[in-house]
Amino acid sequence: MPGLLKKTLFSLASLLSIASVVLLVVALATEKWVTGKILCKTGAELVNASDPELVKFVGDIYFGLFQGGKIRQCGLGSRRSKIYIFPNLVKKLNSGLHVMIILFLFTAIVFALISFGFCIYNARKIPYQSIKGPGGIYLWNFVAALFGVFGVVSFIAALKLHRLTERVANFRENVFQFIILEEHYDFSFWLCVASTATHGANFIVVAISGIHFPKVQTKKPEEPTVTAEDLLY
């Protein structure tokens, strides 16, 4: 059986692994990967709006990997609409890249769960094979972090190189054209980044578990020796 310190450290590592899974699941399920401001260019041009009046034509947009929403301001008041990435909008995006992002993140979840299982195993037993020990935990955390990084980098590429926000904002807009005034990553994206960071923390925890700390030995008090002369007294 592993010692108390190792049990504690591997239990902490298992919590970090399951935290990574939870962060990724929440990131996939929420709609705030990107938020931004959109200008209704067509509406502004129709009324020949000056700079102070352009505020009336600025709306909001937010979306995740599966759905989102936008608020259109085209001179007719605020109009809210829901955005669904699947099954139609994805065809107007770089569909291969978008699907790859989702697959990368789901793969990261799978390997984070494997890491969780290995951490629980090491907290309960001393493995007789190196792949089941800290070496295996290092491996699965590295693979999970790698796929998490692939997902994050691919999403950044889709946003910056393939004008993702612009394509989402103008989907099924036959009359009005929108231009992107600003866009920034929101909490769903940062949850994904945090999930990848937890695997780095796991590396540190597992490394500490391999350090052999010196045992504190308490010196036993010397027992008094009784001689024959002492008994005469």
Side-chain angles (χ1 to χ4, degrees), residues 112-126:
L113 287 172
I114 295 174
S115 171
F116 170 74
F118 271 61
C119 290
I120 293 295
Y121 178 83
N122 279 265
R124 294 172 60 87
K125 296 181 180 180
I126 297 176

Side-chain angles (χ1 to χ4, degrees), residues 54-233:
L54 287 177
V55 180
K56 299 177 181 179
F57 297 91
V58 175
D60 299 289
I61 188 170
Y62 61 91
F63 60 90
L65 296 179
F66 295 97
Q67 59 185 8
K70 66 180 177 181
I71 301 174
R72 303 158 76 248
Q73 297 275 13
C74 294
L76 301 173
S78 298
R79 300 289 180 90
R80 293 179 176 271
S81 59
K82 195 72 177 174
I83 297 170
Y84 296 98
I85 304 297
F86 293 93
N88 297 317
L89 175 53
V90 70
K91 298 174 184 177
K92 301 295 181 180
L93 311 177
N94 188 324
S95 56
L97 181 59
H98 194 84
V99 172
M100 286 297 292
I101 294 168
I102 296 171
L103 289 177
F104 283 148
L105 297 182
F106 272 110
T107 306
I109 289 174
V110 170
F111 282 105
L113 287 172
I114 295 174
S115 171
F116 170 74
F118 271 61
C119 290
I120 293 295
Y121 178 83
N122 279 265
R124 294 172 60 87
K125 296 181 180 180
I126 297 176
Y128 61 90
Q129 292 179 333
S130 59
I131 190 63
K132 293 183 179 180
I137 298 175
Y138 283 132
L139 174 63
W140 307 129
N141 274 280
F142 173 77
V143 175
L146 188 65
F147 278 101
V149 170
F150 284 163
V152 169
V153 172
S154 298
F155 184 79
I156 294 173
L159 188 69
K160 299 300 181 182
L161 302 181
H162 298 277
R163 307 192 319 276
L164 181 62
T165 307
E166 183 181 334
R167 294 187 184 194
V168 172
N170 287 288
F171 180 65
R172 286 183 174 170
E173 292 289 349
N174 300 319
V175 178
F176 298 104
Q177 181 184 2
F178 294 91
I179 60 175
I180 309 305
L181 297 181
E182 62 180 62
E183 60 183 2
H184 54 269
Y185 304 108
D186 215 316
F187 79 92
S188 300
F189 172 84
W190 295 115
L191 286 178
C192 190
V193 175
S195 169
T196 304
T198 59
H199 296 292
N202 245 347
F203 269 83
I204 297 172
V205 172
V206 176
I208 294 173
S209 72
I211 299 174
H212 299 285
F213 294 98
K215 295 181 178 179
V216 179
Q217 296 180 345
T218 56
K219 191 176 181 180
K220 294 182 179 179
E222 295 182 0
E223 296 182 0
T225 56
V226 180
T227 62
E229 294 178 357
D230 294 329
L231 292 174
L232 291 175
Y233 287 104

